[in-house]
Amino acid sequence: MPGIINWDELWKATHAGGFHHHGRDGQDLASHWDSKARGFNKRVMKNPARATNQVATLGLLSHETVLDVGAGTGRLAIPMARIARSVTALDQSKGMLACLEENMAKEGIENIRTIQKSWEELAEGEIELHDVVLSSNSLGVLNLRESLAKMDSMAKRAVYIFTFADRRRDDGFADFLRGGKRARHHFGGPADYLVIYNLLADMGIFADIKIMNWQSSEHYSSLDEAVAEWKEMHEIPAEREPELREFLSGKLTESDQGLCMHRHHKQAMISWQKDQPASEH
Ligand SMILES: C[S@@+](CC[C@H](N)C(=O)[O-])C[C@H]1O[C@@H](n2cnc3c(N)ncnc32)[C@H](O)[C@@H]1O
């Protein structure tokens, strides 16, 4: 039951502008990610240590099956498939799943099944239950209550949801990006994890929240390469290129692998275990 705040409606209101932060007007979420797939894949696959650490927090067992909602290019699906019995990778973007399949082939992974569909479109009962259901920065849904209820009912052991916790991100990056043509909707309303957590409580699901500090290093062979990647990833218009160049040159430092940028951010992990018996006092 909603209390004074209807978290489901609040989510709809604050996400009505779209889910991709810098997408082109009128572009749906699947085509947005289709056009971003190659660049995204290149960026995230450079940092396997972060994915391995994230997967380690799940406590996956070798007999378990995992449903990865919004699996993208398999950043987590691939390390999870190395531990679990099998992974079902659902994503609405054909381009992201094409990269995932290439990554599987490169890594010799055979226990991932892909499903190209949006989470809203997947009917309950269309696929079998999985031990673990996970979503990592991938809840591009307008009907949050319905989507969370589906995650809950399709999981046998546990559900894990990861979202960025600090919307301002780090060290002036968000401020720089906000100077661009988009990003407006991303700065209104409470952070996603607070809405998800409170809505779950209204639904009778008492989840845990863990805030994790991540540090990562991004490597570039030159300033030109960094500028090109950032321009593409964040759709920064050509007229802001000199500003972007100046901004990035202030962030990049020389390292033995070329130029390096250290980034920090906070990620929230919201999780709940299914059917946990109460302990006695
Ligand atoms: C930022 S990427 C994250 C990918 C991956 N989970 C990771 O952590 O690297 C977001 C992905 O979620 C997918 N996605 C977002 N909302 C979705 C939905 N409602 N149904 C299916 N896929 C969705 C997008 O297509 C995109 O591939």
Side-chain angles (χ1 to χ4, degrees), residues 10-23 29 32-33 137-140 162-170 173-175 177-193 195-196 234 263 265-266:
L10 182 62
W11 176 275
K12 283 192 191 107
T14 49
H15 290 82
F19 287 91
H20 36 88
H21 316 175
H22 314 283
L29 189 60
H32 168 78
W33 283 107
N137 301 323
S138 57
L139 266 186
F162 294 90
T163 72
F164 290 117
D166 49 346
R167 285 169 304 138
R168 287 185 61 78
R169 300 291 294 274
D170 45 300
F173 284 102
D175 285 341
L177 292 172
R178 189 163 39 166
K181 64 183 164 76
R182 303 280 272 170
R184 65 207 185 278
H185 57 272
H186 206 53
F187 295 90
D192 285 356
Y193 80 99
V195 180
I196 295 168
H234 298 291
R263 301 198 65 182
H265 70 264
K266 289 185 191 300

Side-chain angles (χ1 to χ4, degrees), residues 3-259:
I4 291 175
I5 299 174
N6 184 328
W7 298 98
D8 197 29
E9 288 302 321
L10 182 62
W11 176 275
K12 283 192 191 107
T14 49
H15 290 82
F19 287 91
H20 36 88
H21 316 175
H22 314 283
R24 280 179 217 107
D25 289 326
Q27 199 184 30
D28 67 35
L29 189 60
S31 354
H32 168 78
W33 283 107
D34 284 347
S35 66
K36 290 268 157 271
R38 297 267 150 213
F40 179 88
N41 189 48
K42 191 171 157 215
R43 247 167 41 105
V44 300
M45 291 303 182
K46 272 195 217 166
N47 198 351
R50 192 181 135 207
T52 311
N53 290 339
Q54 202 176 337
V55 168
T57 60
L58 309 175
L60 281 181
L61 300 172
S62 59
H63 66 266
E64 290 189 315
T65 58
V66 185
L67 171 59
D68 185 352
V69 178
T73 64
R75 188 180 69 85
L76 299 179
I78 288 182
M80 291 194 295
R82 290 208 178 91
I83 303 171
R85 179 150 62 89
S86 64
V87 176
T88 303
L90 176 134
D91 203 290
Q92 60 199 345
S93 158
K94 197 172 163 197
M96 295 293 267
L97 290 180
C99 290
L100 187 152
E101 279 160 11
E102 285 171 25
N103 292 334
M104 280 174 68
K106 247 186 256 160
E107 302 281 329
I109 301 275
E110 292 181 343
N111 56 343
I112 302 179
R113 158 179 64 152
T114 59
I115 300 179
Q116 192 203 330
K117 216 165 222 190
S118 82
W119 182 237
E120 296 92 322
E121 275 167 8
L122 185 89
E124 270 181 57
E126 192 175 328
I127 57 171
E128 70 284 10
L129 301 186
H130 288 66
D131 295 299
V132 170
V133 175
L134 166 139
S135 154
S136 172
N137 301 323
S138 57
L139 266 186
V141 298
L142 263 190
N143 290 312
L144 183 61
R145 173 183 280 268
E146 211 177 283
S147 299
L148 293 173
K150 202 190 283 182
M151 291 181 83
D152 182 58
S153 67
M154 294 185 71
K156 289 191 277 185
R157 182 194 37 105
V159 179
Y160 295 90
I161 299 173
F162 294 90
T163 72
F164 290 117
D166 49 346
R167 285 169 304 138
R168 287 185 61 78
R169 300 291 294 274
D170 45 300
D171 310 336
F173 284 102
D175 285 341
F176 176 79
L177 292 172
R178 189 163 39 166
K181 64 183 164 76
R182 303 280 272 170
R184 65 207 185 278
H185 57 272
H186 206 53
F187 295 90
D192 285 356
Y193 80 99
L194 296 172
V195 180
I196 295 168
Y197 177 79
N198 282 290
L199 177 55
L200 284 168
D202 281 350
M203 292 163 65
I205 296 174
F206 298 96
D208 296 312
I209 300 189
K210 185 172 176 188
I211 304 291
M212 294 177 288
N213 290 307
W214 294 115
Q215 280 190 41
S216 57
S217 307
E218 292 173 10
H219 297 278
Y220 301 95
S221 57
S222 64
L223 181 57
D224 285 346
E225 188 197 37
V227 170
E229 274 196 29
W230 272 64
K231 248 181 100 179
E232 201 262 349
M233 190 64 195
H234 298 291
E235 292 181 7
I236 293 168
E239 64 269 22
R240 293 195 75 207
E241 190 173 321
E243 207 186 326
L244 174 65
R245 186 170 285 277
E246 193 186 324
F247 176 78
L248 290 177
S249 59
K251 298 283 173 196
L252 290 163
T253 50
E254 299 278 350
S255 80
D256 49 4
Q257 295 175 63
L259 292 172

